[in-house]
Amino acid sequence: MEVRAAYSFVLALFLAMALIPVLVRLAGPAGLLDAGGGRKVHDRPVPRIGGVAIFVGFIVSVLIWVPLRTDLSAFLAAATLQFLFGLLDDRFNLDYRLKLLGQALAAGVVIIAGDVLIARVPFWPGDLLPELLAVPLTILVLVAVTNAVNLSDGLDGLAGGIGLLAAAGLAVLSYPAGDPAVFMVLVTLVGAIFGFLRFNTFPARLFMGDSGSQLLGFSIGVLAIVTTQPSSSGISPVVPLLVLGLPILDTLTVMTGRIRRGQSPFTADRTHLHHRLLDAGLSHKEAVGLIYGAQFLLMAIA
């Protein structure tokens, strides 16, 4: 298993790295440039096509090296659907309701086709939710996590680094839990993110775009459920709250503030944690490093 995981990691890493120079040249003709300015921290057009490199590196490597089963096959189909909705958003700037629809549809695929459910809940009588509650809870959690990671994509290397730490932490947890297939999928995701971050650290040559950030959020959410929900795993089902605690808490804080001000919770502004750190006088690298440190601490606690 370890050898196959290493091969899958390396293939995902190099596929992502090899694709990025080509994708950068295609971004302009494809209409996938982020103009910058306004509330954003960059003031020049930057290709937002890195999510394609992450997706291709990840999917191809998993299909070659990972022995798939029903839940993981459903996950790959749902992740593909989520990626396509994100790519459409990058190109056409979809209305938030269409984004939410795509996220809910992807969640529905893993629930229906893969039987991926949040059923084991601490302190619930019997510790198992009835399916009538488990299905909507799972959809809500996956949509929330997808958006939390998506909204953290505000600084060079930030969303990629958060996703990498979360995926690596889940891989460490899944290994002793005795689930080699999930371990290999997570290691492969880490490899694809590493390949992308080679070009995304400050100053970034390209962004992952919504196709990448939504793919990462959705993938980590699903794989966290698959890792922690089986009773045989021996891992507490509250662990994902720590693994993804930072982007979730930031999203909840920002949306609560918007609602208090009488704004739509989906209104774009500069109240995210990374914006506040920049406004407090930290440099780009210092702000990203501080958030990495907080994420790493949460992973260590998990």
Side-chain angles (χ1 to χ4, degrees):
M1 176 189 70
E2 291 85 353
V3 174
R4 291 175 68 91
Y7 286 156
S8 190
F9 171 88
V10 171
L11 179 59
L13 171 72
F14 281 99
L15 275 177
M17 290 180 63
L19 282 171
I20 283 174
V22 177
L23 293 171
V24 167
R25 290 193 292 270
L26 294 175
L32 292 169
L33 289 176
D34 192 320
R39 69 182 185 90
K40 298 182 180 179
V41 297
H42 65 286
D43 54 7
R44 60 183 175 84
V46 178
R48 52 179 176 187
I49 201 169
V52 177
I54 296 173
F55 173 77
V56 173
F58 173 62
I59 293 291
V60 171
S61 300
V62 167
L63 290 175
I64 291 175
W65 290 110
V66 179
L68 295 177
R69 58 190 194 223
T70 302
D71 56 348
L72 294 180
S73 297
F75 159 64
L76 291 184
T80 300
L81 178 63
Q82 182 62 78
F83 164 76
L84 292 174
F85 265 89
L87 192 61
L88 287 172
D89 187 27
D90 287 331
R91 177 61 181 87
F92 300 108
N93 193 24
L94 300 180
D95 182 84
Y96 74 88
R97 286 165 289 195
L98 282 176
K99 294 184 188 181
L100 292 175
L101 174 62
Q103 294 160 6
L105 287 174
V109 170
V110 292
I111 292 170
I112 296 170
D115 198 27
V116 175
L117 282 173
I118 300 175
R120 200 160 60 98
V121 178
F123 311 117
W124 185 268
D127 285 338
L128 288 176
L129 285 177
E131 190 169 304
L132 187 64
L133 295 177
V135 170
L137 176 63
T138 305
I139 293 174
L140 177 63
V141 168
L142 289 178
V143 169
V145 169
T146 301
N147 282 289
V149 175
N150 179 39
L151 293 172
S152 72
D153 189 21
L155 297 180
D156 295 352
L158 184 54
I162 289 174
L164 185 147
L165 287 169
L170 286 172
V172 170
L173 291 170
S174 67
Y175 185 81
D179 197 337
V182 173
F183 171 76
M184 292 174 67
V185 170
L186 285 161
V187 167
T188 305
L189 183 60
V190 170
I193 299 171
F194 257 128
F196 164 75
L197 283 175
R198 165 66 179 79
F199 300 88
N200 184 240
T201 50
F202 182 79
R205 286 182 56 185
L206 84 167
F207 299 150
M208 66 171 67
D210 278 9
S211 64
S213 59
Q214 293 189 45
L215 172 67
L216 288 189
F218 179 78
S219 298
I220 292 166
V222 173
L223 294 171
I225 294 171
V226 174
T227 300
T228 61
Q229 279 296 304
S231 57
S232 59
S233 72
I235 303 172
S236 170
V238 302
V239 162
L241 293 177
L242 289 170
V243 172
L244 292 161
L246 192 63
I248 290 173
L249 182 60
D250 182 41
T251 299
L252 288 174
T253 302
V254 168
M255 289 191 168
T256 300
R258 291 170 182 169
I259 292 170
R260 283 180 177 175
R261 294 189 297 272
Q263 300 174 331
S264 166
F266 302 100
T267 302
D269 57 24
R270 285 183 57 89
T271 58
H272 283 282
L273 175 61
H274 52 270
H275 290 132
R276 293 178 183 271
L277 292 175
L278 292 178
D279 293 342
L282 272 68
S283 69
H284 195 119
K285 289 184 178 179
E286 289 170 342
V288 172
L290 184 60
I291 295 173
Y292 279 4
Q295 176 73 7
F296 182 82
L297 178 62
L298 288 170
M299 291 304 310
I301 294 171

